[in-house]
Amino acid sequence: MQPLADRLRPATLDDIVGQKHILGEGKPLRKIIESNKIPNLIFYGPSGVGKTTLATYIAKKTNMTFKKLNGTTASTSDLKDIFKELDGFAGLNGVLLYLDEIQYFNKKQQQTLLEYIENGKITLIASTTENPYFYVYNAILSRSTVFEFKPVPYEEVEKAVRRAFSILADENGISVEIDDKTVKTISVACGGDVRKAMNSAELSFLATDTVDGVKTITEETAKDLTQRSAMRYDREGDEHYDILSAYQKSMRGSDANAALHYLARLLIAGDLISACRRLMVCACEDVGLAYPNLIPIVKCCVDIAMSVGLPEARIPLADAVIMVCNAPKSNSGEMAIDKAMADIKAGNVGSIPRQLQNTHYDGEDNQNKGQHYLYPHDYDHHYVVQQYLPDILKNRQYYTYGDNKNEQAFKAYWDKIKP
């Protein structure tokens, strides 16, 4: 049987749930579709948010011959089979090629499309869950208009869920009773993925007994069948890096609630390693010298987490995340090493000063024989003025004291001692 999501394909643009930022009244993509003059398009966004649905609708509205390929399974020969049909009956009104997951097509495969989309024999609508500016060949991008699709708000998903139960009831000749709370449970749990919501609705329908011609869908059944379905996570995809980015930026921004939210998303996905690694980086990069004692504390929490594993690992990691969020912040250490590395990459290296070298051989022509290293512990306050940087960098300053209490205490100490 055809999947429920396919049986629910909308008849009008207003039937499409979500994407009001591009499909609402007066919005750009809606105007393009209503003009019946469809350019080459790239739909970018997570799965289950209407990309295929809209492409199918466009093909029907424009009376073009609809061809669909998936980048994960299609080959160059599949494209050539479509090209052979262009001069026949199928090509009379033009061919709309919907290429799903275009990011899996290599450069050569994408290039084979150029001739046909340039002469107008093929109108390309490509979709991708990854950033097209990273994965789609530039020549295709320059001939296409990119529209970003976003996760569908649960209020919009609710419309599709109610419609799904209505169709299921009609198809089976029975009645369905479902309260608003249960509809919301299914809609929220899908995480903005309408296809997931449709699957959950159908499973809930199938898992409910019919009593006197009525199926009463309970919230308990809905919860059992939708648990964890809101998680979008692909360790190789944009979503993975978006979560990690939000995780560290929330800690850097001292927002414990947000940081814990993203930590939870990583842990529920089972990505303990990424959660630990980014936490340690943040302790060093964003807290750093403002509270250096936190670094070994975080490392200890990470060691405990890795030792006990999930689900218990969530506890030491939550403690560490909260500490990082509440700690004073300083990135002076990171800025200092970045400046030093920039000099090295630019070729500003120079010879190591003679007094710092491990051993030194003096030739007969050297009038100033000897290492001449000054041992700081032989002087007051264990400090003596001495050149440490190479000559070409001897006045370079990489490190600037942060404005936090800890680094300012260091500064006050050395201001008294250093000339």
Side-chain angles (χ1 to χ4, degrees), residues 352-358 360 362 366 368-372:
I352 295 173
R354 178 180 180 182
Q355 65 271 18
L356 301 186
Q357 294 173 7
N358 184 41
H360 188 80
D362 292 316
N366 192 332
N368 187 26
K369 292 182 172 61
Q371 192 80 8
H372 306 295

Side-chain angles (χ1 to χ4, degrees), residues 154-155 157-158 161 182-192 197 229-230:
Y154 82 86
E155 298 92 346
V157 178
E158 285 184 348
V161 170
T182 305
V183 170
K184 184 175 180 180
T185 296
I186 296 173
S187 303
V188 171
C190 74
S229 67

